[in-house]
Amino acid sequence: MKIYPQLKSAEGIAALLSSEDFTQVYRLADQIRRETVGDIVHLRAIIEFSNICKRQCVYCGLNRENKELGRFRMSREEILEAAAEAVSAGYRTIVLQSGEDDYFTAGRLADIIKSIKEMEVPSEERTVSPIHPAVTISCGERCEEDYRIWKQAGADRYLLKHETADPRIYDELHPCGTLQQRVKCLKILSRLGYETGSGFMVGLPGQTLRTLGEDLLLLKEIPCKMAGIGPFISNPKTPLADQPDGDPEMARRAVAVARILLPEANLPLTTSLSVLSDKEKRRISDNPFSFGANVVMKKVTPDKYKKAYEIYPAEFKKTEILQDRKELERLIKSYGRKPL
Ligand code: SAM
């Protein structure tokens, strides 16, 4: 199997990403995936518990300048109810995601994390001790103390995408922050012992293949144990309304390179990779797990809030937690992979 020395530099990665035929790279990524993380596809239940956000990320429908969006914040009871239903349906990870909403102080979220960690995943395995769900937090940039409190409360993972490794593009897209600050947060999370996840969007204005090379190398530098990589999807209610969507094929290529660079990482098939045209979906459904991904996130946000968590326009299906999970398990098995 071919090894790619050019993956050491952003220019080398850019050259590889631009190859006419990517088949060999996909094959290598899939082989590495099989040898490192195996055939298991981890299913994660994501609860989008608040769309209130103090930031102004220009690509995102939740940004505070979007006055057309009806805002919501789930109560503690609603969050725990959704989590309990997901856990009893068999999910072993609950992902808590929100805009940057200061109502959720470190203490309030810590209390929710602790309650979720006490839940028990039903299992047919004859284990001596009960299986408690893992908790992933994805609530943006906070101070080190908040991150520490959540870790002590039992949080296992933290997802905070760096979005783009080009500081100039980062500044244009984020009037409220800097790439330096974001990377600092990621390094703190990693030091605190979180399974740390970053990631980026493919197809941002001004981005080049070299930028994607920098993005991929940054994942390794942080160092990340998870990476969410997906196409940018234009949201008509944002300043990037007229921008074309990112290329899903390029996003798949970036996921494959991420698998080669970070062999052991958890790589989700990002939601934005599944919000695609029917034609694209059909292409992906040839085998959506053939390029290195080993994680799928499924929304379990209650229907009455789901539509309002509109990062980008997407088709909204009714949430049927147990039924959706069974359907996903069937799909994963049909590709010869093992849902967990
Ligand atoms: N506030 C948290 C944060 O910033 O990490 C979590 C919520 S944020 C909405 C989750 C992710 O949505 C971001 O990391 C970003 O990559 C993604 N996102 C936002 N707008 C997007 C768009 N238009 N296309 C694709 N992904 C987008």
Side-chain angles (χ1 to χ4, degrees):
M1 215 16 123
K2 198 171 161 188
I3 298 298
Y4 297 93
Q6 65 265 53
L7 295 189
K8 288 198 164 77
S9 73
E11 290 79 10
I13 296 175
L16 184 66
L17 288 172
S18 68
S19 318
E20 202 167 305
D21 184 359
F22 213 66
T23 322
Q24 287 302 318
V25 187
Y26 283 140
R27 218 165 270 165
L28 176 62
D30 199 38
Q31 183 191 328
I32 292 174
R33 186 270 310 154
R34 201 175 316 115
E35 288 169 359
T36 52
V37 293
D39 282 338
I40 288 175
V41 174
H42 299 276
L43 307 186
R44 323 270 203 224
I46 175 162
I47 305 172
E48 300 147 326
F49 64 90
S50 167
N51 70 354
I52 297 170
C53 191
K54 65 180 180 190
R55 293 177 72 114
Q56 293 166 283
C57 310
V58 301
Y59 45 83
C60 183
L62 306 193
N63 90 73
R64 72 168 191 231
E65 299 303 323
N66 181 5
K67 308 289 184 216
E68 289 176 51
L69 188 71
R71 302 285 168 167
F72 73 91
R73 179 182 283 143
M74 283 169 67
S75 67
R76 173 185 184 277
E77 289 67 34
E78 286 174 317
I79 297 171
L80 293 181
E81 202 179 304
E85 202 180 331
V87 170
S88 65
Y91 285 99
R92 294 177 179 221
T93 295
I94 301 296
V95 183
L96 297 175
Q97 193 181 81
S98 68
E100 289 199 12
D101 179 359
D102 287 337
Y103 168 84
F104 286 97
T105 56
R108 279 193 174 124
L109 200 59
D111 171 59
I112 292 168
I113 295 166
K114 279 186 201 149
S115 301
I116 295 176
K117 292 296 292 185
E118 281 165 13
M119 294 174 184
E120 284 183 26
V121 184
S123 170
E124 284 155 21
E125 295 160 31
R126 296 231 163 270
T127 48
V128 184
S129 41
I131 303 167
H132 299 288
V135 173
T136 303
I137 308 292
S138 177
C139 299
E141 292 180 23
R142 303 284 287 236
C143 63
E144 180 163 350
E145 189 51 17
D146 289 4
Y147 290 153
R148 183 175 295 110
I149 290 168
W150 294 338
K151 187 82 192 65
Q152 281 164 357
D156 301 273
R157 312 192 182 101
Y158 204 103
L159 208 52
L160 178 70
K161 297 194 204 172
H162 68 261
E163 316 294 1
T164 175
D166 180 328
R168 197 181 41 84
I169 301 176
Y170 193 98
D171 287 348
E172 275 165 24
L173 298 178
H174 303 95
C176 294
T178 63
L179 178 61
Q180 203 186 9
Q181 181 56 28
R182 183 139 297 216
V183 172
K184 189 175 163 205
C185 286
L186 284 160
K187 291 191 172 170
I188 290 171
L189 290 162
S190 177
R191 183 159 40 76
L192 289 173
Y194 282 95
E195 182 177 322
T196 305
S198 186
F200 54 89
M201 281 174 276
V202 172
L204 291 171
Q207 187 184 62
T208 62
L209 291 181
R210 194 181 182 288
T211 325
L212 294 180
E214 302 279 7
D215 282 317
L216 286 155
L217 291 175
L218 182 56
L219 298 178
K220 209 171 157 62
E221 185 207 313
I222 286 168
C224 285
K225 293 188 176 161
M226 296 186 278
I229 301 166
F232 156 74
I233 305 208
S234 166
N235 183 329
K237 311 232 173 78
T238 66
L240 297 190
D242 297 330
Q243 286 293 322
D245 289 349
D247 175 11
E249 166 62 18
M250 189 51 71
R252 279 195 287 280
R253 289 183 174 206
V255 174
V257 175
R259 171 59 68 208
I260 299 169
L261 286 171
L262 303 164
E264 312 271 346
N266 279 324
L267 298 180
L269 197 62
T270 59
T271 339
S272 65
L273 254 178
S274 49
V275 181
L276 300 162
S277 68
D278 281 348
K279 196 166 132 242
E280 264 305 331
K281 262 187 203 154
R282 247 175 278 129
R283 258 215 293 156
I284 283 196
S285 64
D286 285 348
N287 188 345
F289 301 106
S290 60
F291 50 92
N294 69 323
V295 173
V296 173
M297 304 235 198
K298 190 78 192 166
K299 292 181 184 219
V300 297
T301 310
D303 286 324
K304 65 172 167 171
Y305 300 123
K306 216 172 174 184
K307 178 77 188 142
Y309 199 84
E310 199 173 41
I311 298 173
Y312 42 72
E315 197 192 314
F316 283 87
K317 293 205 184 109
K318 233 174 124 42
T319 300
E320 300 281 359
I321 296 181
L322 185 59
Q323 232 165 285
D324 291 351
R325 183 176 164 109
K326 295 251 171 284
E327 203 175 297
L328 199 52
E329 285 180 1
R330 266 195 299 276
L331 185 77
I332 290 165
K333 284 181 190 160
S334 74
Y335 294 117
R337 304 284 295 276
K338 300 176 189 144
L340 186 69

